[in-house]
């Protein structure tokens, strides 16, 4: 289970476990994480924990929410992130049991597939000892299996008005 640790004078003074679902942080009594410090709004931010990931959403607080020194409106929290809210700091600790085995460096980055490294056509070429340069990673699978692709019909498609009349039954 992920946790938020309140840091005061370089030491953890309180910890707040984040169960699956939503948790509100603020000064009000109805907040799940109640912190009565200067600079914290009555309903400051929302934390949403879903499938091992925790997302932060600032709820329009006057002083804002800073994650690792940057103003954040909405973001995903990573292990070790430091939240600054008003005059306090909270350190986010992710649940190690839910940590993915191979986390991507940048989940928004595009993965570059090199020609000849992936796909059935390049695998068949490598097995046959043939060069794989220039083979598309998404080469058609039927070509590898020796099957011919069916040719598209050569009859022209009827025009728009003909299709509309047929659809209306005229």
């Amino acid at each position: 289970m992920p946790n938020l640790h309140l840091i005061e004078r370089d030491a953890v003074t309180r910890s707040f476990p984040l169960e699956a679902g939503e948790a509100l942080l603020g000064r009000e009594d109805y907040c799940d994480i109640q912190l009565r410090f200067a600079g914290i709004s009555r309903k400051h931010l929302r934390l949403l924990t879903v499938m091992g990931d925790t997302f932060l959403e600032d709820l329009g607080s006057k002083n804002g929410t800073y994650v690792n020194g940057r103003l954040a409106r909405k973001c995903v929290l990573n292990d070790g992130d430091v939240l600054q809210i008003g005059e306090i700091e909270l350190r986010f600790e992710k649940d190690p049991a839910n940590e993915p085995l191979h986390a991507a460096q940048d989940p928004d980055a595009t993965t570059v597939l090199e020609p000849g490294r992936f796909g059935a056509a390049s695998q068949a070429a490598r097995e046959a000892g043939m060069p794989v340069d220039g083979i598309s990673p998404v080469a058609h699978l039927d070509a590898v299996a020796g099957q011919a692709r069916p040719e598209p019909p050569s009859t022209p498609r009827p025009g728009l008005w003909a299709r509309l009349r047929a659809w209306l039954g005229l």
Side-chain angles (χ1 to χ4, degrees):
M1 172 181 322
N3 289 292
L4 271 182
H5 302 287
L6 179 63
I7 303 169
E8 292 182 289
R9 296 179 196 88
D10 297 329
V12 174
T13 57
R14 287 171 49 193
S15 293
F16 306 96
L18 300 174
E19 296 186 15
E22 182 180 274
L24 290 175
L25 184 146
R27 288 191 334 253
E28 287 292 328
D29 293 334
Y30 59 81
C31 290
D32 303 299
I33 300 173
Q34 188 179 28
L35 297 171
R36 295 181 192 256
F37 291 96
I40 297 179
S41 297
R42 289 181 287 161
K43 193 165 77 168
H44 196 98
L45 63 87
R46 173 182 306 142
L47 296 164
L48 180 65
T49 302
V50 179
M51 297 178 66
D53 288 322
T54 302
F55 303 89
L56 176 143
E57 177 185 10
D58 186 278
L59 298 173
S61 63
K62 295 253 186 210
N63 293 314
T65 301
Y66 292 82
V67 177
N68 298 328
R70 301 181 106 176
L71 184 63
R73 300 289 296 154
K74 291 183 181 181
C75 69
V76 64
L77 294 176
N78 297 305
D79 192 40
D81 282 351
V82 176
L83 287 65
Q84 185 174 358
I85 306 167
E87 298 175 356
I88 66 158
E89 286 187 349
L90 296 157
R91 188 180 71 239
F92 176 74
E93 181 180 271
K94 193 168 185 154
D95 182 10
N98 288 331
E99 189 68 31
L101 295 176
H102 302 288
Q105 293 289 337
D106 181 5
D108 293 331
T110 300
T111 301
V112 178
L113 300 177
E114 297 175 20
R117 301 269 311 179
F118 302 97
S122 60
Q123 180 179 352
R126 278 195 310 276
E127 289 172 359
M130 299 172 61
V132 293
D133 291 341
I135 297 177
S136 168
V138 291
H140 198 277
L141 297 176
D142 293 339
V144 175
Q147 301 173 357
R149 290 178 69 181
E151 291 295 320
S154 60
T155 57
R157 189 172 176 193
L160 174 66
W161 292 111
R163 292 193 316 260
L164 184 59
R165 282 191 208 105
W167 183 73
L168 293 172
L170 299 176

